Amino acid sequence: MNNNTKHYIILGLVLISGFVFAISGTQTRYLPGDTISIASEPDYPPYCIINEKGYADGFSIELFKASANAVGLEVNMKIGIWTKIMDDLSDGSIDALPLVGRTPEREKLFDFTMPYLSLHGAVFVRKGTSGINSIEDLYGKAVIVMKGDNAEEFVRREKITDKIITTNTFEEAFRMLSRGRYDAVVTQRVMGLSLLEDLDINNIIALDFQVPQFRQDFCFAVQEGDSL
């Protein structure tokens, strides 16, 4: 185990301990041996994925499971598209989500731990695309984002373009772009590069310019009111 892994596991213990302390004072009291329910997206590598055995896996999943184990909690896991599992947390069908970018829009829906990752977004285009040299150049272009993702919130909040196409997953978004449909995908850079590699898509690149307005602070999240 390298030092970075140890750092994130220790941070995870702090995050989940805060989560357990918070919900113990609300509607449900969790004790060692209890089971909490969480959910994972199917294709947000390397953070949330489905492994070769069909189970939820990835950095954020392992971080949450290790943290829960450290305080004696069992974890029940389900897999679903992002908009569905966000709704599940909002209505109390599940107890927590392990990978949620903290945004102004979501402050009304969830309570968050401190971030364990802070990353920036990127613009992905087909190789050979010209005329997109800054985020401002996207205006009037057809931009694909995953429905309910930080990227959709960012594109709408900042009025990046008036042509927004939403998909259920970023796999769907990248496959559409690869086949010549629409102009760009906006998403988190590391995830996008990892997913393109997994999908063996070679005709899409991440543009070099920075998108400082699109920052993702990834946290654990619970229902609004379960203060962390």
Side-chain angles (χ1 to χ4, degrees):
M1 181 184 297
N2 61 39
N3 288 334
N4 284 338
T5 301
K6 290 179 181 177
H7 169 77
Y8 285 123
I9 288 177
I10 292 169
L11 177 55
L13 303 185
V14 174
L15 297 176
I16 195 64
S17 296
F19 161 69
V20 174
F21 176 78
I23 60 176
S24 67
T26 57
Q27 297 92 340
T28 306
R29 184 173 296 275
Y30 287 84
L31 299 172
D34 285 348
T35 298
I36 58 174
S37 297
I38 69 172
S40 171
E41 301 168 68
D43 64 346
Y44 208 93
Y47 312 109
C48 291
I49 61 171
I50 299 175
N51 63 25
E52 63 277 2
K53 296 181 179 179
Y55 298 118
D57 204 349
F59 175 81
S60 296
I61 302 300
E62 293 305 311
L63 178 62
F64 196 100
K65 287 165 65 177
S67 303
N69 181 68
V71 291
L73 294 177
E74 300 293 329
V75 176
N76 179 52
M77 176 74 64
K78 64 181 287 187
I79 297 169
I81 63 171
W82 176 240
T83 51
K84 177 62 170 66
I85 63 176
M86 267 208 310
D87 287 345
D88 287 344
L89 183 57
S90 294
D91 67 23
S93 299
I94 58 175
D95 300 307
L97 287 171
L99 179 70
V100 185
R102 188 170 190 164
T103 65
E105 292 84 353
R106 294 174 184 176
E107 293 283 357
K108 304 171 186 177
L109 301 174
F110 309 124
D111 282 343
F112 298 89
T113 61
M114 61 184 288
Y116 58 86
L117 283 174
S118 293
L119 301 168
H120 285 90
V123 176
F124 291 79
V125 299
R126 286 182 296 277
K127 290 180 179 178
T129 296
S130 60
I132 302 178
N133 302 302
S134 69
I135 196 70
E136 290 76 19
D137 291 333
L138 287 179
Y139 195 80
K141 301 290 195 300
V143 173
I144 318 170
V145 290
M146 186 173 76
K147 185 173 179 61
D149 186 70
N150 289 177
E152 182 187 7
E153 295 170 355
F154 162 71
V155 169
R156 295 190 187 280
R157 184 193 319 124
E158 302 293 329
K159 298 180 173 56
I160 300 301
T161 184
D162 56 350
K163 299 176 182 177
I164 301 171
I165 297 90
T166 61
T167 59
N168 285 326
T169 66
F170 275 116
E171 176 179 347
E172 182 183 353
F174 279 129
R175 290 196 186 281
M176 291 169 69
L177 184 65
S178 177
R179 293 167 184 159
R181 299 183 64 188
Y182 310 114
D183 299 304
V185 170
V186 174
T187 188
Q188 197 275 318
R189 181 180 293 271
V190 173
M191 185 284 297
L193 293 172
S194 181
L195 184 56
L196 288 171
E197 182 178 357
D198 289 348
L199 297 174
D200 197 26
I201 293 177
N202 302 310
N203 66 333
I204 293 176
I205 59 170
L207 296 178
D208 289 336
F209 62 81
Q210 298 295 312
V211 188
Q213 312 97 311
F214 183 19
R215 169 175 164 159
Q216 291 176 293
D217 293 324
F218 288 121
C219 312
F220 297 161
V222 297
Q223 274 189 300
E224 196 277 332
D226 285 347
S227 299
L228 296 171

